[in-house]
Amino acid sequence: MYEDMKNKIGIITGGNGRLGQTFAAALRNKNRVYLFDIQNKCLIQDENIFYCQLDIANEEAVRSAVGDILKKEKQIDFLINNAALQITNPFEKMTIDDFRKSMDVNLNAAYICIKAVSASMILQKKGNIVNIGSIYGITIADPNIYGNSELNSPDAYAASKAGLIHLTKYLAVNLAKYNIRVNSISPAGVFNNQPQAFMEKYLPKIPMNRMLNREELIGPLLFLLSDASSYVTGHNLVVDGGFSCL
């Protein structure tokens, strides 16, 4: 399945994160994957994984890294905008600086990476971009679930993810003439050993009565990156166990 997903050159932002590592592990066997992350050490080791330490909100740093990749590889086939910042302050305590910082990482940096990578994709007349959104980019977090758990999903995160989803649609329309597909994936909460008190409030909101396992995003990602979705662009693939249906 997805036999065309081999010998590809791609970039994953937030490559050291839990989802970034999961995506890299799924793609590394038959492809060459470059991880962009601000941390000074790569957390996944493989001969097909290459690490670029940089701040993706820094336009010059991104441009330089993409240029280095192109010098070595001659092309970039896919970009996965996965990096995200979630400052969990409630609205009453969220500062303007917090909001700006969230937008810089979650939306502005994604745009910077798309601009840098799409320039080569336009020239090669092909490419694939997948943005990682969130269920809270299309619906609102119920404050009764989160309470004082410090796990709350803040307004800045929601606004940035909503912007990323809409940017996906806009770019899908405008880059289609270059044979570049742009889609997004919006997952619901990923299981990470959350406290029982939180789970008791959260799970009743999900028809499948469980949280998402991060490996369950591999299938949707491979679908969007492969020729199996060759006529799919501008789509936001919701992976939420039915959460948004209620």
Side-chain angles (χ1 to χ4, degrees), residues 51-90:
Y51 193 67
C52 302
Q53 182 195 7
L54 76 160
D55 179 358
I56 57 170
N58 184 319
E59 184 179 359
E60 184 54 43
V62 170
R63 235 192 264 145
S64 176
V66 169
D68 289 343
I69 294 170
L70 288 170
K71 285 178 186 176
K72 180 180 178 181
E73 305 288 0
K74 309 307 179 189
Q75 71 180 53
I76 296 173
D77 298 296
F78 65 84
L79 165 66
I80 303 170
N81 274 312
N82 165 70
L85 175 67
Q86 191 167 7
I87 298 172
T88 58
N89 293 334

Side-chain angles (χ1 to χ4, degrees), residues 39-185:
Q39 296 180 30
N40 60 14
K41 182 181 179 182
C42 185
L43 298 182
I44 181 170
Q45 302 297 320
D46 187 89
E47 63 181 0
N48 289 329
I49 297 290
F50 306 91
Y51 193 67
C52 302
Q53 182 195 7
L54 76 160
D55 179 358
I56 57 170
N58 184 319
E59 184 179 359
E60 184 54 43
V62 170
R63 235 192 264 145
S64 176
V66 169
D68 289 343
I69 294 170
L70 288 170
K71 285 178 186 176
K72 180 180 178 181
E73 305 288 0
K74 309 307 179 189
Q75 71 180 53
I76 296 173
D77 298 296
F78 65 84
L79 165 66
I80 303 170
N81 274 312
N82 165 70
L85 175 67
Q86 191 167 7
I87 298 172
T88 58
N89 293 334
F91 172 75
E92 295 85 352
K93 294 182 179 179
M94 184 75 71
T95 67
I96 297 300
D97 283 345
D98 288 339
F99 191 91
R100 287 196 182 105
K101 194 179 297 183
S102 296
M103 296 300 284
D104 274 347
V105 174
N106 299 345
L107 183 57
N108 297 346
Y111 189 77
I112 286 171
C113 291
I114 291 170
K115 286 288 284 184
V117 172
S118 65
S120 65
M121 290 180 172
I122 288 170
L123 292 175
Q124 65 199 30
K125 293 292 192 293
K126 63 177 180 177
N128 202 323
I129 298 168
V130 177
N131 298 317
I132 306 301
S134 168
I135 193 65
Y136 288 143
I138 62 173
T139 189
I140 306 302
D142 183 350
N144 295 319
I145 293 176
Y146 296 93
N148 297 319
S149 67
E150 298 185 355
L151 299 171
N152 56 297
S153 186
D155 51 13
Y157 181 80
S160 64
K161 291 301 186 179
L164 187 60
I165 292 167
H166 201 72
L167 179 65
T168 296
K169 297 175 184 295
Y170 186 94
L171 293 178
V173 171
N174 285 273
L175 295 178
K177 60 188 175 184
Y178 302 112
N179 195 31
I180 299 171
R181 295 192 294 116
V182 189
N183 293 287
S184 58
I185 298 174

Side-chain angles (χ1 to χ4, degrees), residues 162-235:
L164 187 60
I165 292 167
H166 201 72
L167 179 65
T168 296
K169 297 175 184 295
Y170 186 94
L171 293 178
V173 171
N174 285 273
L175 295 178
K177 60 188 175 184
Y178 302 112
N179 195 31
I180 299 171
R181 295 192 294 116
V182 189
N183 293 287
S184 58
I185 298 174
S186 286
V190 179
F191 180 68
N192 189 25
N193 297 308
Q194 286 87 348
Q196 184 63 29
F198 169 79
M199 298 288 281
E200 289 174 358
K201 292 181 179 180
Y202 189 84
L203 294 185
K205 299 282 186 177
I206 304 177
M208 291 186 72
N209 197 41
R210 65 177 177 85
M211 298 191 76
L212 173 68
N213 293 314
R214 55 181 174 165
E215 291 78 14
E216 291 177 297
L217 290 172
I218 294 173
L221 178 68
L222 291 177
F223 169 70
L224 291 177
L225 287 177
S226 74
D227 288 344
S229 61
S230 58
Y231 199 58
V232 178
T233 194
H235 182 66

